[in-house]
Amino acid sequence: MLRTTITRLPARQLTVGTLFIRGVATSSTRHISASSEKAPLVETRRLATSASRSTQLTEPGASSTLPMHGDWVLFHPIYTPEELKSVEVLHRDAQSLSDKLAHNLVKLSRWGYDFVSGYKHKPIPEGSTMSLDQLRKEGYLLTEQGWLNRILFLESIAGVPGMVAATLRHLQSIRLMRRDSGWIHTCLEEAENERMHLMTFMSLRKPSIFFRAMILGAQGVFYNMFSSMAVLAYLVSPKTCHRFVGHLEEEAVLTYTRCIAELEAGRLPEWSEQPAPQIAIDYWRLRPEATLLDVIYAVRSDETSHRFVNHSLANLNPKTDVNPFAMREPDMHVKGKKIAFDRDEAEEYLQESHNILMEQTRSAHEAIKKRST
């Protein structure tokens, strides 16, 4: 009886809530939905149809040569300055056997990731008088090129788990001929968000053939490894995959936190005045004069969201529980300071979302009645 709210909320209400709340939430929750900007999207499609007749679109690299602005993306959070600064580096201790398996896989992945990117994070000796060049030469600091390589490598792999999970749940929904209760959408949103991180940092450099080959190899190995693990996990224990991603995002938050610290300490002078790429300004609704530091703060907040969401989903029953984040998500004051919702907290949060939906539906019906009288 205690679990009826989270396990039996009608799917129709969940779907309506996703469309309705996300469509109107921009002013109160600072979240952006693609459905809230229909007119610009229609105009964009007209321009795209017209441009498709041009041979310019058939040229390699057309996406980087054409003046493409705006974002054609799924739901994603937009953060206030206060939210950006409220992120904390957190870690969830492994409790079950599957938790330990997921955590150890992340530790192994982190070791390989550090080895490939040349990252050591050696503490700078107290009272050191070494110059910036000396610190970099001795392996205490990364250059901006080293950081960029590390970030590109991270983000090229980070977009894989969400897409694999969404694909598997999509196929499962078709195979069982039943609704998925909102899990597919959240996994797809995560995958696209990570892809946008990659697109943002790719705009800062043109990777060499060698670097592209490393990315291709790493992505191929990681995709096949994660796919194999995910297929098995979703047949036996889907929680393992979400727990794995939760721990992976812990490492991502730590990496970006260290990058921010080095930038603010003046140890990455090449990036201190680097303007934010246009793709980042469009995606996170940054101010026109935003810098790369603003972008990294936003990326870190995204990774914090993934940390919170995946650890929370790993605490649920994936066969019966509704995804509590399908309609809305907590702001960064919650996600940045709390590692996850447990199942009771997820149930309470879902009930709050349900109540908001019912209240907004009631208000909409009353407004319609007033206009008709």
Side-chain angles (χ1 to χ4, degrees):
M1 189 68 178
L2 183 63
R3 308 299 184 188
T4 53
T5 303
I6 196 168
T7 59
R8 298 181 185 175
L9 183 64
R12 181 182 62 82
Q13 294 178 359
L14 179 68
T15 303
V16 172
T18 302
L19 296 174
F20 186 70
I21 292 180
R22 289 190 173 184
V24 301
T26 54
S27 61
S28 59
T29 62
R30 300 166 300 280
H31 289 177
I32 298 297
S33 168
S35 61
S36 65
E37 300 185 27
K38 294 181 180 178
L41 287 177
V42 171
E43 184 61 28
T44 299
R45 291 191 187 102
R46 289 174 183 168
L47 291 173
T49 302
S50 174
S52 65
R53 303 187 185 96
S54 170
T55 57
Q56 187 177 14
L57 283 180
T58 65
E59 298 175 1
S63 62
S64 61
T65 58
L66 292 176
M68 297 176 66
H69 300 304
D71 78 46
W72 298 269
V73 294
L74 301 174
F75 162 84
H76 63 95
I78 302 299
Y79 309 104
T80 65
E82 293 76 21
E83 287 180 301
L84 293 172
K85 298 295 179 68
S86 63
V87 171
E88 296 179 3
V89 175
L90 303 174
H91 171 66
R92 181 187 185 277
D93 292 330
Q95 299 172 7
S96 65
L97 182 62
S98 62
D99 287 354
K100 292 177 182 178
L101 173 62
H103 186 225
N104 287 331
L105 282 172
V106 169
K107 287 173 65 177
L108 178 62
S109 301
R110 175 64 188 255
W111 174 84
Y113 173 46
D114 288 347
F115 177 78
V116 170
S117 62
Y119 183 74
K120 298 177 182 178
H121 192 66
K122 294 164 56 178
I124 299 176
E126 188 175 351
S128 172
T129 58
M130 287 187 286
S131 66
L132 183 61
D133 288 338
Q134 289 174 322
L135 288 170
R136 288 175 172 179
K137 185 176 180 180
E138 295 296 325
Y140 292 104
L141 298 175
L142 284 177
T143 64
E144 87 289 351
Q145 194 64 48
W147 271 110
L148 190 54
N149 287 342
R150 181 173 174 79
I151 290 171
L152 288 174
F153 199 83
L154 169 67
E155 298 298 350
S156 67
I157 293 174
V160 173
M163 183 58 69
V164 172
T167 300
L168 289 170
R169 295 194 68 93
H170 172 77
L171 295 175
Q172 182 185 61
S173 177
I174 294 173
R175 184 171 65 253
L176 300 179
M177 299 182 184
R178 70 185 186 198
R179 299 292 296 274
D180 182 68
S181 298
W183 290 59
I184 294 173
H185 304 89
T186 295
C187 292
L188 284 175
E189 288 162 3
E190 176 186 309
E192 183 184 67
N193 181 251
E194 298 288 9
R195 181 178 63 85
M196 291 302 293
H197 293 175
L198 178 63
M199 297 299 103
T200 295
F201 288 105
M202 282 284 287
S203 67
L204 299 179
R205 68 164 289 181
K206 293 186 179 296
S208 65
I209 294 177
F210 175 73
F211 186 80
R212 287 180 181 272
M214 285 200 306
I215 295 296
L216 181 63
Q219 192 179 76
V221 170
F222 187 79
Y223 188 90
N224 288 316
M225 180 191 75
F226 193 86
S227 294
S228 300
M229 184 179 70
V231 169
L232 179 61
Y234 270 89
L235 290 174
V236 180
S237 176
K239 295 183 177 183
T240 304
C241 283
H242 288 292
R243 189 69 72 202
F244 173 85
V245 177
H247 286 303
L248 193 67
E249 298 297 353
E250 290 177 13
E251 298 294 337
V253 172
L254 177 61
T255 292
Y256 284 114
T257 298
R258 288 173 174 172
C259 184
I260 289 171
E262 291 198 8
L263 246 172
E264 292 183 332
R267 294 171 182 155
L268 282 170
E270 299 87 351
W271 281 2
S272 60
E273 301 297 329
Q274 176 77 34
Q278 186 61 46
I279 187 175
I281 293 174
D282 293 339
Y283 185 69
W284 285 287
R285 306 298 196 267
L286 302 176
R287 64 188 195 281
E289 65 276 11
T291 65
L292 189 58
L293 178 61
D294 298 314
V295 175
I296 296 175
Y297 264 110
V299 172
R300 185 183 67 164
S301 293
D302 284 345
E303 306 294 6
T304 305
S305 293
H306 303 327
R307 179 187 69 184
F308 177 86
V309 168
N310 278 280
H311 275 314
S312 297
L313 293 180
N315 291 336
L316 305 183
N317 185 332
K319 294 182 179 180
T320 60
D321 290 350
V322 172
N323 171 18
F325 310 116
M327 288 189 276
R328 64 186 183 117
E329 291 182 11
D331 64 25
M332 198 51 59
H333 298 295
V334 175
K335 293 185 290 188
K337 300 179 182 301
K338 187 178 179 67
I339 196 70
F341 279 160
D342 61 30
R343 195 163 185 264
D344 290 333
E345 291 171 322
E347 181 177 3
E348 181 180 354
Y349 186 77
L350 182 63
Q351 185 60 58
E352 291 176 1
S353 300
H354 175 69
N355 294 339
I356 292 173
L357 170 63
M358 293 299 98
E359 177 60 27
Q360 291 184 338
T361 301
R362 184 187 63 79
S363 298
H365 287 166
E366 289 179 355
I368 292 173
K369 286 182 180 178
K370 288 181 180 180
R371 286 198 297 267
S372 62
T373 56

